[in-house]
């Protein structure tokens, strides 16, 4: 009789341990007490990667025990034991590395050649087969009004070659909604998801500054990273003598391992002023361009961590000018070296999630870890009634 009574108790205990528990962490600077945006939070059991938002906050779900690692390029990383975690708004403090190494790096080698080697080696590291689970979101604005929104949880399968990476895209969940009563479908513009991810892997953004014929159009300066002694910063800026539409590049890289950690590309107003506006019908005059991409180096694993791209331009029509703005963000939530199995009919071959029928199984956006402004949060919150 005692044995019979024991079984229900054991099963009940197992059920309790298997329950999912939601946690939230707020990451702050220990000296300033200010939140740290874009800090990396790694769930060590599942290898899920999240980024803190502007409030320094991430949310995640644990089934069972897992330690959590919190890190940022400018701070000493910390590992939290599962037993110390609390359910809601558990504050974690990071200490600034405070190396202050912002000196110019003197090198006998031509800086452009250094960049060529760094880019080439990074492409080689990114070309190994693996898959990424990515949360993607995109805002579309027409004439300065938020007009359309989409987000989704997708999988990219990378088929690596030493000189070029190709991707296969499968969409797990997504939602796509107009934000205005007016139909803006004819004006919708979005980033091609496969193309943009392949650009991040093949680093095609650097083609202009790698071309030896164009090295006289740019200034290349290398300095130590102000907060991390392991990294250098290379700034590539167009010379004032250039009359072309050129961009400013900032590349943070590891000089020992020869890989890019982060890069930013911006088209400044100063450079835009050099270009005469096009007047022909159908022409596009760029008013803003911004790209920021981060990579994660974890032992031998090297992959995209997150990205933000923005493009704004004036479209010249016969009787008016339309202002188009698109903002796209990727956040990798999981890296895996195993290929996934799929049918060819499952592959998403359209350009953007605008073209995908809504498929909502869970509140996947609640634990995406994406960074949103207050205005963006209000827009996303307004979608609740449509669901």
């Amino acid at each position: 009789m005692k044995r019979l009574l024991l079984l229900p108790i054991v099963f009940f205990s197992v059920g309790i341990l298997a329950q999912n528990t939601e946690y939230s962490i707020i990451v702050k600077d220990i000296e300033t007490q200010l939140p740290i945006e874009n800090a990396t939070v790694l769930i060590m059991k599942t290898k899920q990667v999240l980024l803190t938002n502007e409030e320094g906050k991430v949310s995640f779900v644990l089934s069972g025990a897992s330690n959590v690692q919190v890190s940022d390029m400018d701070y000493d990383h910390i590992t939290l034991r599962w037993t110390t975690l609390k359910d809601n708004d558990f504050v974690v403090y990071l200490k600034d590395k405070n190396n202050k190494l912002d000196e110019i790096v003197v090198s006998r080698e031509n800086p452009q050649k250094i960049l060529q080697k760094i880019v080439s080696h990074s492409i080689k590291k990114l070309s190994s087969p693996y898959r990424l689970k990515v949360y993607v979101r995109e805002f579309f604005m027409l004439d300065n009004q938020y007009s359309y929104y989409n987000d989704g949880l997708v999988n990219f399968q990378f088929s690596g070659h030493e000189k070029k990476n190709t991707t296969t895209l499968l969409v797990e969940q997504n939602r796509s909604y107009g934000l205005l009563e007016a139909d803006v479908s004819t004006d919708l513009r979005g980033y091609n998801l496969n193309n943009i991810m392949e650009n991040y892997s093949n680093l095609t953004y650097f083609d202009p500054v790698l071309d030896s014929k164009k090295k006289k159009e740019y200034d290349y300066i290398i300095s130590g990273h102000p907060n991390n002694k392991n990294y250098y910063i290379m700034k590539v800026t167009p010379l004032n003598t250039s009359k072309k539409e050129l961009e400013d590049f900032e590349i943070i890289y590891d000089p020992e391992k020869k890989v890019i950690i982060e890069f930013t590309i911006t088209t400044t107003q100063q450079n835009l002023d050099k270009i005469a506006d096009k007047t022909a019908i159908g022409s596009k005059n760029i008013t803003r361009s911004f790209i920021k991409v981060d990579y994660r180096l974890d032992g031998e694993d090297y992959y995209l961590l997150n990205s933000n791209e923005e493009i704004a331009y004036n479209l010249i029509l016969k009787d008016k000018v339309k202002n188009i703005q698109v903002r796209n963000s990727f956040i990798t939530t999981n890296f895996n070296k195993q290929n996934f199995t799929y049918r060819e009919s499952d592959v998403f071959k359209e350009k953007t999630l605008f073209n995908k029928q809504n498929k909502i199984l869970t509140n996947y956006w609640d634990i995406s870890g994406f960074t949103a402004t207050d205005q963006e949060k209000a827009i996303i919150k307004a979608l609740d009634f449509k669901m």
Side-chain angles (χ1 to χ4, degrees):
M1 186 64 180
K2 290 182 179 179
R3 291 178 182 175
L4 292 175
L5 290 173
L6 180 62
L7 288 175
I9 296 173
V10 172
F11 288 139
F12 177 76
S13 300
V14 172
I16 291 294
L17 291 174
Q19 287 181 352
N20 292 336
T21 304
E22 184 173 344
Y23 296 89
S24 61
I25 289 175
I26 297 176
V27 183
K28 292 186 177 183
D29 185 303
I30 195 170
E31 294 182 1
T32 66
Q33 299 290 302
L34 295 175
I36 301 173
E37 186 176 358
N38 285 338
T40 301
V41 177
L42 172 66
I43 312 304
M44 300 182 75
K45 177 183 178 181
T46 62
K47 301 298 182 183
Q48 182 184 13
V49 178
L50 301 173
L51 295 181
T52 56
N53 63 17
E54 63 181 3
E55 299 168 343
K57 185 175 181 177
V58 294
S59 299
F60 55 91
V61 173
L62 280 181
S63 176
S66 174
N67 291 345
V68 176
Q69 186 183 83
V70 184
S71 61
D72 184 271
M73 186 187 304
D74 296 334
Y75 295 84
D76 294 327
H77 75 269
I78 187 171
T79 300
L80 306 173
R81 296 182 63 85
W82 172 70
T83 53
T84 66
L85 291 177
K86 298 179 181 178
D87 291 357
N88 294 313
D89 296 348
F90 181 65
V91 180
V92 179
Y93 295 98
L94 297 186
K95 183 180 179 181
D96 193 331
K97 288 183 177 177
N98 199 29
N99 291 314
K100 308 304 179 190
L101 301 174
D102 193 17
E103 78 275 6
I104 301 298
V105 176
V106 178
S107 174
R108 293 182 180 180
E109 190 172 9
N110 181 288
Q112 190 193 48
K113 291 189 179 296
I114 292 175
L115 182 59
Q116 289 170 344
K117 290 180 180 179
I118 296 296
V119 170
S120 176
H121 192 257
S122 297
I123 294 173
K124 187 175 180 179
K125 286 282 289 182
L126 289 165
S127 64
S128 59
Y130 58 90
R131 78 173 189 256
L132 297 181
K133 180 170 287 190
V134 177
Y135 175 79
V136 56
R137 65 184 175 100
E138 194 162 50
F139 292 90
F140 173 79
M141 295 181 70
L142 176 63
D143 293 333
N144 296 312
Q145 275 191 302
Y146 283 96
S147 306
Y148 218 91
Y149 173 83
N150 73 64
D151 66 8
L153 192 62
V154 304
N155 286 286
F156 288 94
Q157 175 67 55
F158 292 79
S159 300
H161 304 284
E162 189 161 325
K163 292 186 177 180
K164 187 176 182 180
N165 228 326
T166 57
T167 59
T168 301
L169 172 60
L170 281 79
V171 179
E172 283 190 18
Q173 301 185 61
N174 69 286
R175 55 180 180 168
S176 183
Y177 294 113
L179 301 173
L180 302 174
E181 292 185 6
D183 182 9
V184 297
S185 58
T186 57
D187 293 303
L188 275 179
R189 304 288 187 277
Y191 286 90
N192 185 314
L193 297 184
N194 271 313
N195 283 359
I196 195 173
M197 183 59 85
E198 289 173 4
N199 287 340
Y200 296 150
S201 299
N202 299 321
L203 297 175
T204 55
Y205 295 100
F206 292 96
D207 289 350
V209 293
L210 296 180
D211 188 347
S212 57
K213 296 178 182 178
K214 295 184 178 181
K215 66 180 179 180
K216 293 182 179 180
E217 297 181 3
Y218 292 91
D219 188 22
Y220 300 75
I221 297 177
I222 303 175
S223 62
H225 192 284
N227 291 315
N228 195 317
K229 63 183 179 180
N230 297 318
Y231 298 148
Y232 286 170
I233 300 176
M234 181 182 292
K235 293 184 178 181
V236 185
T237 55
L239 298 172
N240 291 330
T241 54
S242 176
K243 299 297 182 183
K244 298 180 181 179
E245 184 179 345
L246 299 174
E247 298 143 321
D248 289 345
F249 292 74
E250 182 176 281
I251 305 104
I252 299 175
Y253 66 97
D254 186 322
E256 295 295 324
K257 297 180 180 178
K258 294 181 171 56
V259 292
I260 294 172
I261 303 300
E262 176 186 301
F263 72 83
T264 305
I265 305 173
T266 55
T267 302
T268 64
Q269 188 60 48
Q270 181 181 359
N271 292 333
L272 290 173
D273 289 342
K274 298 176 183 178
I275 312 301
D277 284 347
K278 303 169 187 175
T279 58
I281 295 175
S283 297
K284 299 176 182 178
N285 293 310
I286 293 177
T287 58
R288 175 171 169 75
S289 177
F290 173 82
I291 302 169
K292 184 178 184 296
V293 182
D294 293 270
Y295 296 89
R296 179 173 175 81
L297 183 61
D298 183 12
E300 290 300 311
D301 298 333
Y302 179 58
Y303 55 90
L304 173 83
L305 178 58
N306 71 293
S307 69
N308 290 281
E309 291 210 26
E310 299 180 27
I311 185 72
Y313 59 88
N314 290 324
L315 178 63
I316 308 300
L317 301 177
K318 185 177 181 179
D319 55 349
K320 61 179 177 179
V321 176
K322 285 186 177 181
N323 179 256
I324 305 293
Q325 298 179 54
V326 186
R327 294 190 292 127
N328 178 286
S329 299
F330 280 179
I331 294 180
T332 295
T333 63
N334 190 267
F335 168 89
N336 199 313
K337 289 185 177 180
Q338 291 183 331
N339 291 345
F340 47 68
T341 57
Y342 58 88
R343 296 170 299 180
E344 187 62 27
S345 59
D346 295 330
V347 177
F348 183 66
K349 297 181 179 180
E350 299 288 346
K351 292 183 178 180
T352 77
L353 290 180
F354 291 139
N355 303 321
K356 174 72 173 172
Q357 185 177 358
N358 289 350
K359 181 181 179 182
I360 302 172
L361 304 175
T362 64
N363 289 4
Y364 59 89
W365 51 86
D366 284 343
I367 55 171
S368 64
F370 72 92
T371 303
T373 65
D374 290 339
Q375 186 180 31
E376 291 168 348
K377 290 176 184 177
I379 292 169
I380 297 168
K381 182 66 176 175
L383 296 177
D384 288 350
F385 79 97
K386 294 192 175 186
M387 298 170 55

